[in-house]
């Protein structure tokens, strides 16, 4: 018996994912981490 997993394509990065909701959470965390890193680098460079 074959088990099929329905996959979706992320509208933001076009990745093929099995759990779109979890992937969107990952995107949010990634963007937040990048924004924080950029802010820290700008702050460090301004000193």
């Amino acid at each position: 018996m074959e088990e099929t997993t329905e996959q979706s394509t992320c509208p933001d990065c076009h990745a093929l994912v099995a759990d779109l909701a979890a992937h969107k959470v990952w995107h949010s965390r990634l963007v937040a981490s990048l924004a924080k890193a950029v802010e820290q680098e700008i702050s460090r460079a301004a000193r």
Side-chain angles (χ1 to χ4, degrees), residues 9-22:
T9 302
C10 175
D12 297 322
C13 70
H14 307 289
L16 190 59
V17 296
D19 186 350
L20 187 56

Side-chain angles (χ1 to χ4, degrees), residues 1-36:
M1 189 181 298
E2 266 186 52
E3 207 175 295
T4 58
T5 303
E6 189 174 326
Q7 294 186 337
S8 302
T9 302
C10 175
D12 297 322
C13 70
H14 307 289
L16 190 59
V17 296
D19 186 350
L20 187 56
H23 183 75
K24 287 185 176 202
V25 170
W26 175 82
H27 264 277
S28 296
R29 288 164 58 194
L30 176 67
V31 170
S33 294
L34 286 171
K36 183 177 179 181

Side-chain angles (χ1 to χ4, degrees), residues 38-47:
V38 168
E39 287 177 357
Q40 289 175 341
E41 182 61 22
I42 290 170
S43 177
R44 185 194 65 76
R47 289 185 205 162

